[in-house]
């Protein structure tokens, strides 16, 4: 075996594990799964801090879809609180209200949503929402998944309520930009 043949064989051997693993990853992405009511697929119940003190369950993780999609169920326990006005440069969002009531801003438009209503938030458009009812629940869909799941895991992992500066930095570190204050409700 000459040197060139040896180097080619060595390169092929070195690539074999990554080729095998890439096929394994594709097979995993083609396998379905069930997430039971009241459960999160990953991370358990994420207890958010700072922006609001809600419970978030990951139903479909971005890691399940190779970054293509993420779905969350949020139980809202923070009346009159919500997100600051912010932008996702690369993700579209859909919210579907299961129970309760919310107030949304999308660009310059404002909407009241109740159980059964849904709203589409396009990427690159500033948006925010505030919980109106004492309690609520929403399904949140992101496409592509982006880093919102990482944002939620980071918020839940904090040992204190983050300052506004920490929240802004956390938004930025997870592909979002804060561009204004939260929505006010009476």
């Amino acid at each position: 075996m000459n040197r060139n043949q040896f180097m080619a064989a060595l390169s092929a051997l070195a690539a074999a594990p990554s080729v095998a693993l890439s096929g394994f990853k594709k097979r995993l992405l083609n396998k379905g799964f069930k997430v039971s009511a009241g459960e999160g697929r990953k991370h358990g119940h994420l207890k958010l801090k700072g922006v609001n003190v809600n419970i978030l369950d990951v139903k479909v993780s971005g890691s399940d879809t190779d970054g293509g999609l993420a779905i969350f169920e949020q139980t809202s326990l923070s009346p009159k609180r919500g997100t600051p006005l912010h932008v996702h440069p690369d993700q579209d969002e859909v919210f579907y209200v299961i129970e309760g009531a919310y107030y949304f801003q999308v660009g310059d438009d404002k909407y009241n949503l109740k159980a059964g209503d849904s709203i589409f938030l396009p990427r690159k458009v500033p948006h925010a929402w505030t919980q109106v009812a004492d309690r609520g629940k929403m399904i949140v869909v992101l496409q592509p998944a982006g880093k919102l799941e990482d944002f939620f895991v980071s918020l839940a992992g904090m040992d204190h309520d983050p300052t506004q500066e920490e929240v802004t930095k956390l938004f930025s570190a997870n592909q979002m930009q804060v561009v204004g204050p939260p929505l006010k409700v009476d």
Side-chain angles (χ1 to χ4, degrees), residues 63-136:
S63 64
D64 293 324
T65 64
D66 200 22
L69 173 76
I71 302 175
F72 311 111
E73 181 179 90
Q74 178 173 293
T75 301
S76 303
L77 307 171
S78 305
K80 311 255 191 273
R81 290 177 66 181
T83 65
L85 190 65
H86 64 282
V87 175
H88 299 267
D90 301 315
Q91 286 80 34
D92 295 323
E93 281 183 290
V94 175
F95 286 75
Y96 177 79
V97 179
I98 297 171
E99 66 181 66
Y102 298 86
Y103 185 52
F104 277 80
Q105 178 176 339
V106 184
D108 293 329
D109 299 320
K110 295 185 178 166
Y111 304 92
N112 288 298
L113 276 74
K114 62 184 180 337
D117 292 340
S118 60
I119 190 165
F120 174 72
L121 312 176
R123 64 188 76 193
K124 299 180 183 166
V125 175
H127 59 273
W129 61 265
T130 296
Q131 178 182 338
V132 176
D134 288 338
R135 184 178 166 91

Side-chain angles (χ1 to χ4, degrees), residues 6-177:
F6 176 75
M7 293 306 287
L10 189 59
S11 294
L13 193 57
S18 64
V19 170
L21 287 177
S22 70
F24 180 69
K25 183 177 180 183
K26 286 179 185 170
R27 282 193 300 277
L28 281 179
L29 294 176
N30 290 326
K31 183 165 176 52
F33 55 85
K34 175 190 179 222
V35 182
S36 296
E39 293 181 5
R41 175 162 165 72
K42 299 191 175 193
H43 319 293
H45 296 298
L46 293 172
K47 296 178 182 175
L48 305 182
K49 297 176 183 77
V51 173
N52 48 49
V53 289
N54 298 333
I55 306 296
L56 190 103
D57 293 331
V58 175
K59 295 297 187 174
V60 177
S61 171
S63 64
D64 293 324
T65 64
D66 200 22
L69 173 76
I71 302 175
F72 311 111
E73 181 179 90
Q74 178 173 293
T75 301
S76 303
L77 307 171
S78 305
K80 311 255 191 273
R81 290 177 66 181
T83 65
L85 190 65
H86 64 282
V87 175
H88 299 267
D90 301 315
Q91 286 80 34
D92 295 323
E93 281 183 290
V94 175
F95 286 75
Y96 177 79
V97 179
I98 297 171
E99 66 181 66
Y102 298 86
Y103 185 52
F104 277 80
Q105 178 176 339
V106 184
D108 293 329
D109 299 320
K110 295 185 178 166
Y111 304 92
N112 288 298
L113 276 74
K114 62 184 180 337
D117 292 340
S118 60
I119 190 165
F120 174 72
L121 312 176
R123 64 188 76 193
K124 299 180 183 166
V125 175
H127 59 273
W129 61 265
T130 296
Q131 178 182 338
V132 176
D134 288 338
R135 184 178 166 91
K137 189 175 281 194
M138 297 188 287
I139 297 293
V140 183
V141 179
L142 260 82
Q143 192 281 319
K147 294 181 69 178
L148 192 58
E149 183 177 337
D150 295 340
F151 172 79
F152 292 138
V153 170
S154 295
L155 268 182
M158 296 183 108
D159 62 1
H160 64 283
D161 273 342
T163 65
Q164 186 58 48
E165 182 179 313
E166 288 174 310
V167 168
T168 299
K169 284 182 183 178
L170 198 54
F171 266 75
S172 180
N174 290 283
Q175 301 172 323
M176 298 177 283
Q177 179 185 8

